[in-house]
Amino acid sequence: MSGKPNTRRRARRKGSGVTMADVAAAAGVSMQTVSRALRHPDTVTAENHARINEAIRETHYVHNHAASHLASQKSDTVAVVIPTLSASVFAETVQHFSDVLHDEGYSIILGHSDYRLDREEQAIRSLLGRRPDGIFIIGTHHSRESGTLLRRAGIPVVEGWDLTARPIGKVVGFSNAEAIAAMARHLAASGRSRIVFAGVLRKGDSRAAERRTGFATAMEALYPGKTPRETIARDLPMTMEAGATLFQRVMESHPDADAIMFSSDILAAGALQQSQRLGIAVPGQLAMSGFGDFEFPSRPAAWMAALILPT
């Protein structure tokens, strides 16, 4: 039997090779109408929109965003650079950031620096090559080349988890040094005097270094003439197991400690578990604090996204 082949059936067989023309034929509308429905849904009637959506489902059509981006000079993506993929606190920040952007029609592309300025520079260069509409980066310390790339990108740049007097674009953060100093003063006011700072200081982790400096400055002011107590590890990962190990080291080097201030909540959580295993009462015998507040990133993530989204 001769005749015109079934357009819908042919389109479905093509699967990932389905074109906009196939969708238009299946929906019984023009390609221009399909294009407008995908790019500006409010310009298409409700009836045509429903027919096009049904045709997309039937044909398994995947919109070629790359072609649209070339035409509009807009990628509908935002780049994110974080220090590490393994720390849950950064994962939570990215989750909330992504949630806010998703509601505005944006997706994120992710890179990580592993606390290395050279690797951060590589990530920035690679992500900018994908022409994102904005970039969010954790930290305010970058290589000179990274700073140049970000300033010349011509897109919104938001730095977070730190403060600087000279942000590249916008900054949503806090002073790590002042925050840890405020905690030290609080512990001292509550009657703790043998306070130890315990942290994992990885090369390139400027925020942990600032917390250590803030602690030392506060303790020198609180207890003039006394050397601030600290237990620093450079050989441990940022994990709860490392926190347990660091707790053991503090107990060995400062057995009379009545408070421990950890540079991270992750470390503090591991230390708290270890103290329970050893039968050390917290906060009765030993006060303990972390840094990061796992619930904290949700609101700043919304601010960061708002600074990137167009007005």
Side-chain angles (χ1 to χ4, degrees), residues 48-165:
N48 278 344
H49 201 277
R51 293 168 65 181
I52 290 168
N53 282 340
E54 177 61 24
I56 288 173
R57 283 191 293 270
E58 287 190 359
T59 60
H60 310 292
Y61 173 70
V62 177
H63 182 44
N64 184 351
H65 289 282
S68 297
H69 297 162
L70 286 173
S72 66
Q73 296 296 304
K74 186 172 179 293
S75 68
D76 294 329
T77 62
V78 173
V80 180
V81 182
I82 62 177
T84 176
L85 298 173
S86 61
S88 60
V89 65
F90 296 132
E92 189 172 4
T93 298
V94 172
Q95 178 67 58
H96 289 293
F97 189 69
S98 178
D99 288 345
V100 174
L101 290 171
H102 179 269
D103 291 342
E104 298 295 331
Y106 288 80
S107 299
I108 66 170
I109 46 178
L110 188 65
H112 76 286
S113 66
D114 198 30
Y115 294 98
R116 289 169 42 191
L117 294 184
D118 61 331
R119 184 158 181 172
E120 179 186 81
E121 183 180 314
Q122 293 171 2
I124 290 171
R125 188 181 297 276
S126 174
L127 292 170
L128 289 179
R130 290 162 172 78
R131 299 299 187 267
D133 296 325
I135 184 167
F136 163 53
I137 184 168
I138 287 183
T140 59
H141 296 266
H142 319 291
S143 70
R144 180 176 297 181
E145 179 64 13
S146 290
T148 299
L149 289 170
L150 291 169
R151 288 185 178 90
R152 292 182 177 179
I155 59 176
V157 176
V158 178
E159 297 164 281
W161 277 76
D162 209 342
L163 280 183
T164 176

